Amino acid sequence: MATRTRRTPRRTEALSRERIVEAAVELLDAAGETGLTFRALTERLATGPGAIYWHVANKGELLGAATDAVVAAAVAVAGAGAGTGATAEAGAGAVAVEPGRDAAAAPSKDTAVEPGEDAVVEPGEDAVAAEGSAGASVGAVSPQDRIRSVALGLFDAIEDHPWLATQLATQLSRSPWGPVTPRIFESVGRQVRALGVPEDGWFTATSALVHYVLGAAGQNAVNASHGSGLGPGVDRAAFLDATSTAWEQLDPDDYPFTRAVAAQAREHDDREQFLAGIDLVLTGIAAVAAAHTGAPGQE
């Protein structure tokens, strides 16, 4: 009796670049960068390599697209989440908008607005004017709150996607002309401008915030990764307790400060510490803006 060869299931719907990128993110989340191969991708998508190469030229392009997709979703939903009511609800179901695409051309509920903007803001509208119009209906959202929201969106994205921190560093250092760096800079920089920072300080202030956000969030992701590899029964609390205990036993003449903060290290919350750092940077930026305008610093 002849045996029947089992065929690999084939896709019935058209394969899009968006679906390829989505599958790439899934593979990266599951197995890291080494797990993202075109063979694994063809198996997951039940298609041939030619269909994938039609949309992406190589693995480097695919990694860049996956990084941009995650970042775009993070800053878009975070920007919408800075509002309340209808604007927050609209942000919750957002998908990324390709760089340069007019957000107004797509459906309002399922399409992300420009990075860092509230969902009700028309594309290109000045951030200060936008906050005024939003405040009339749902309460004004300050630039500081928008920055905190975007920062937390990126913090959570890096924590949820362990491969993202490395890819962000790669994108920012090797291809800052690509979509990722401008997207992050735009989402933060618009709010820096709205804080009243003089124009010649926009780049420096925005860079300071972006470097802090990506650096602190990336380090937190590394800590979480190392903590998960400490072995069975060793959790974050036990790891911090061991670290703090070791600090407390350091020589008091050589390490008086480290010994003094050992208890704080044991008890700290990563997200609270991250936001406290954002506030420290914002305080300095507000002082610069106040010195420029002669007005008191904003809270």
Side-chain angles (χ1 to χ4, degrees):
M1 179 177 178
T3 58
R4 221 177 253 184
T5 303
R6 186 176 181 180
R7 292 186 175 183
T8 302
R10 306 296 292 180
R11 295 181 62 85
T12 57
E13 70 273 18
L15 186 65
S16 66
R17 178 181 172 88
E18 289 74 19
R19 178 61 191 120
I20 292 171
V21 172
E22 181 184 344
V25 171
E26 294 168 358
L27 287 171
L28 286 164
D29 288 346
E33 185 177 337
T34 58
L36 178 61
T37 65
F38 274 68
R39 173 176 291 183
L41 201 56
T42 57
E43 291 176 357
R44 179 171 287 261
L45 293 171
T47 189
I52 296 176
Y53 281 114
W54 176 264
H55 294 282
V56 289
N58 50 52
K59 183 175 179 178
E61 181 181 337
L62 189 57
L63 282 167
T67 301
D68 184 50
V70 173
V71 168
V75 299
V77 174
T84 57
T87 57
E89 181 182 352
V95 295
V97 175
E98 290 294 324
R101 180 183 173 192
D102 190 343
S108 60
K109 181 172 178 59
D110 296 323
T111 304
V113 293
E114 289 293 322
E117 287 280 20
D118 194 272
V120 298
V121 179
E122 290 297 323
E125 184 177 358
D126 185 81
V128 177
E131 285 162 15
S133 62
S137 56
V138 297
V141 180
S142 71
Q144 291 94 330
D145 283 339
R146 292 180 184 275
I147 288 171
R148 293 184 189 103
S149 181
V150 169
L152 272 180
L154 290 169
F155 181 92
D156 289 339
I158 291 172
E159 187 173 56
D160 293 341
H161 305 278
W163 54 272
L164 184 59
T166 300
Q167 286 304 312
L168 282 172
T170 300
Q171 293 291 322
L172 268 65
S173 62
R174 296 184 183 177
S175 55
W177 49 82
V180 174
T181 301
R183 192 183 294 281
I184 295 173
F185 247 65
E186 187 71 20
S187 65
V188 175
R190 290 188 184 191
Q191 309 314 320
V192 166
R193 179 181 63 185
L195 286 170
V197 175
E199 185 172 354
D200 60 4
W202 288 355
F203 179 76
T204 299
T206 302
S207 295
L209 278 164
V210 169
H211 290 160
Y212 171 76
V213 169
L214 299 185
Q219 184 61 54
N220 179 73
V222 170
N223 293 343
S225 175
H226 287 176
S228 64
L230 293 176
V234 181
D235 59 9
R236 176 183 180 277
F239 176 76
L240 290 177
D241 182 67
T243 301
S244 299
T245 299
W247 285 8
E248 290 167 343
Q249 295 171 354
L250 292 170
D251 187 296
D253 294 327
D254 293 337
Y255 302 97
F257 176 82
T258 305
R259 284 169 53 93
V261 300
Q264 297 177 35
R266 178 183 287 111
E267 300 165 0
H268 84 277
D269 178 271
D270 292 330
R271 288 171 68 86
E272 290 178 1
Q273 185 186 53
F274 175 74
L275 284 175
I278 292 289
D279 288 342
L280 286 172
V281 179
L282 287 175
T283 298
I285 292 175
V288 171
H292 178 73
T293 61
Q298 302 181 52
E299 292 298 327

